[in-house]
């Protein structure tokens, strides 16, 4: 497309997205997305994706500003409101971020990503009851989840929040075999990390790298993986991923 039209803003936005999500080439993604915005300042996708590059690159203040511009362009977008909450939290403004994410739920009660973000921040703050409540609320959105939710509630009553995380990890492990493709590899690594099983976490992250799962592009900033960052294996993984 760009060989036919060197000023095609959409093509730059898509190439920037590919560089961010699949090649993990943030430097080129910045160039493509900024060029797209230069050509079309009203392009909400380029602005949103640019915010995501800043976030994954640990540039949280810039991510926040980029996402505010995306919201100005598309003020009814639940995803953009959710990203704003995430970036507020990453920028150290967790109370504002939590309030923003609860606004997302008020706007769209069935918008599952907001519940994920909320249980994660409450977990990080050591607020286990709140974390569990948002975790369960998100689970309830899945069709036919009644039995799973009931089982998780029973586990929580006996083993607490850590028991629920353990059950979630064991469920993931029962659903696939190591080495094969699975979009849940990074999530399994997050759970294993929070349960103190760093060897298992790195095993899943290695498999995520092998299959170049999009979730691994958050490796440098993912708060659920932060306990791994003092491990030399983490530094090596970041290097090999090119992040």
């Amino acid at each position: 497309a760009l060989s036919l039209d060197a000023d095609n803003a959409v093509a730059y936005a898509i190439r920037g997205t590919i560089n961010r999500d699949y090649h993990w080439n943030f430097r080129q993604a910045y160039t493509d997305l900024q060029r797209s915005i230069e050509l079309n300042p009203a392009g909400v996708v380029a602005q949103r994706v640019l915010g995501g590059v800043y976030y994954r690159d640990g540039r949280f203040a810039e991510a926040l500003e980029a996402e505010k511009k995306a919201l100005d362009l598309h003020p009814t977008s639940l995803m953009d409101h959710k990203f704003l909450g995430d970036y507020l939290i990453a920028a150290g403004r967790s109370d504002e971020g939590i309030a923003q994410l609860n606004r997302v739920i008020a706007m769209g009660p069935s918008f599952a990503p907001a519940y994920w973000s909320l249980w994660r921040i409450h977990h990080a703050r050591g607020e286990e009851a709140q974390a569990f409540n948002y975790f369960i609320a998100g689970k309830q959105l899945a069709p036919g989840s009644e039995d799973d939710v009931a089982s998780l509630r029973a586990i929580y009553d006996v083993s607490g929040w850590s028991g629920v995380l353990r059950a979630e990890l064991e469920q993931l492990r029962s659903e696939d075999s190591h080495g094969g493709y699975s979009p849940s590899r990074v999530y399994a690594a997050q759970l294993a990390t929070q349960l103190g099983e760093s060897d298992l976490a790195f095993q899943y992250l290695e498999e995520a790298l092998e299959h170049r799962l999009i979730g691994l592009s958050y490796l440098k900033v993912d708060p659920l993986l932060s306990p791994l960052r003092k491990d030399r294996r983490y530094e090596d993984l970041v290097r090999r991923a090119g992040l």
Side-chain angles (χ1 to χ4, degrees), residues 109-149:
S110 62
F111 189 68
Y115 295 94
W116 159 263
S117 291
L118 280 163
W119 82 248
R120 186 173 67 171
I121 180 55
H122 283 294
H123 171 75
R125 287 161 55 124
E127 298 164 350
E128 295 186 352
Q130 293 95 318
F132 174 71
N133 287 337
Y134 284 115
F135 180 85
I136 286 295
K139 288 283 187 182
Q140 288 174 318
L141 296 174
S145 63
E146 293 83 1
D147 289 344
D148 287 342
V149 168

Side-chain angles (χ1 to χ4, degrees), residues 71 74-82 99-111 114-115:
L71 265 175
H74 194 178
T76 61
S77 167
L78 290 177
M79 186 58 75
D80 285 307
H81 279 282
K82 183 262 186 188
Q100 172 65 21
L101 291 166
N102 277 296
R103 280 193 287 272
V104 175
I105 290 174
M107 295 167 64
S110 62
F111 189 68
Y115 295 94

